[in-house]
Amino acid sequence: MTCLRTFRLAFFTNLLAFLFLWCISLGLGEQSSCVEKKGIKICASFHGSSSFSSLVPGENVSMKVDIFYIHVENNSNDDLSISSSDFSCVDTVSNATTVDEALSEKIKWPKKLAKTVLSPGQSVEGYLFCPRAKYPIRVLTYQGRVSVEIQMF
């Protein structure tokens, strides 16, 4: 009887995790915010929150992660370097955290925001993971060639 309960619990836990990730990949409930500055357009949409341990099985870290889908267009005349570590996340009480590339690498997720160089006219998109302690992320900032602040709510 105990093995059957354990199996059912594991099955439903995995099913719920799959459905959560599937809904996020569809962008259900997303609201996008866009900012353009000096020919660089950055759009971000919130795609939910998760515990770090559910994104990285086997990790026992009690940290929440807010998940954003980022779209960057280079409409300038110069190349543009993009990396997840160019972004900072600011929560509702003004605590700022720079996105940690090594932490993001641990997360097994399709279509993460990849480190790349965009030529004029090119774009890139992918998921960005903002660790947080207690309060939700309200602002994303990009500190690359230009400084861009994206208000999420």
Side-chain angles (χ1 to χ4, degrees):
M1 189 71 156
T2 304
C3 288
L4 184 58
R5 279 191 190 151
T6 304
F7 172 76
R8 285 181 183 163
L9 179 62
F11 173 78
F12 286 112
T13 301
N14 287 332
L15 179 63
L16 287 174
F18 170 77
L19 291 174
F20 171 75
L21 296 175
W22 181 67
C23 288
I24 286 175
S25 71
L26 292 176
L28 300 179
E30 72 181 61
Q31 181 179 1
S32 188
S33 297
C34 297
V35 175
E36 187 162 0
K37 188 174 182 180
K38 296 185 181 179
I40 298 167
K41 183 177 180 180
I42 301 177
C43 296
S45 55
F46 177 68
H47 280 259
S49 297
S50 182
S51 67
F52 183 74
S53 57
S54 69
L55 294 172
V56 182
E59 289 286 333
N60 241 353
V61 179
S62 61
M63 173 176 50
K64 292 282 188 190
V65 178
D66 283 353
I67 304 164
F68 297 90
Y69 195 72
I70 306 294
H71 177 88
V72 181
E73 293 177 19
N74 182 7
N75 298 318
S76 73
N77 295 322
D78 301 310
D79 287 349
L80 176 67
S81 177
I82 294 289
S83 172
S84 60
S85 62
D86 294 333
F87 288 86
S88 294
C89 311
V90 183
D91 67 19
T92 55
V93 294
S94 300
N95 295 318
T97 305
T98 300
V99 174
D100 184 348
E101 237 174 284
L103 183 81
S104 295
E105 287 300 316
K106 289 184 174 185
I107 296 172
K108 302 299 180 212
W109 194 277
K111 204 165 184 174
K112 293 188 285 187
L113 186 64
K115 187 174 186 174
T116 189
V117 175
L118 299 176
S119 298
Q122 289 185 319
S123 65
V124 67
E125 53 190 40
Y127 288 97
L128 184 73
F129 304 93
C130 293
R132 64 180 175 93
K134 186 175 181 181
Y135 303 100
I137 302 300
R138 69 172 175 83
V139 176
L140 294 176
T141 59
Y142 169 73
Q143 296 292 331
R145 195 175 72 223
V146 299
S147 178
V148 176
E149 187 174 285
I150 305 159
Q151 296 285 336
M152 297 310 300
F153 60 89

